Amino acid sequence: WNDINEVIMASILMVIPTMGQRARMVLAENQGGCFELFGLDVLLDEHLKPWLLEVNLSPSLVADAPLDRTIKSNLVSDCLNLVGVPIRSQPPRPVPH
């Protein structure tokens, strides 16, 4: 996990100036808060070394499959909780096989 965290942190550090500029524009227009969701696609090779494939700004939250729905529902709930919009926790649904 440490290697994956390093890949993620390096990616975020590279876009901090752009993120700051974008946040200032949004805040100037809306006088409120904002947050951004990034989707990072990481591939693990045969030695479990992580390789960053791409970074998606505002990744799709469309859930076409039951597993996708479970993962993305939890993601949205966690994001809203992090920004101070309390979401009532629901027990996790079993993932169909």
Side-chain angles (χ1 to χ4, degrees):
W1 289 108
N2 286 338
D3 291 343
I4 294 173
N5 284 337
E6 286 181 25
V7 167
I8 293 169
M9 291 307 298
S11 301
I12 291 172
L13 289 173
M14 290 177 57
V15 297
I16 284 177
T18 304
M19 288 172 38
Q21 185 178 31
R22 185 173 168 143
R24 282 189 292 280
M25 286 180 0
V26 169
L27 291 173
E29 294 173 7
N30 298 313
Q31 299 299 318
C34 66
F35 71 96
E36 186 66 64
L37 176 65
F38 292 90
L40 284 82
D41 294 343
V42 177
L43 175 72
L44 299 176
D45 67 16
E46 66 272 7
H47 304 290
L48 299 180
K49 178 179 179 178
W51 295 90
L52 179 66
L53 298 178
E54 68 178 345
V55 178
N56 299 302
L57 185 63
S58 299
S60 171
L61 296 176
V62 174
D64 296 326
L67 177 60
D68 220 15
R69 193 172 1 295
T70 299
I71 291 169
K72 291 177 179 179
S73 295
N74 289 332
L75 170 69
V76 170
S77 178
D78 289 347
C79 285
L80 292 172
N81 283 322
L82 281 170
V83 297
V85 179
I87 300 297
R88 185 173 48 107
S89 293
Q90 297 179 2
R93 294 184 303 245
V95 176
H97 292 90

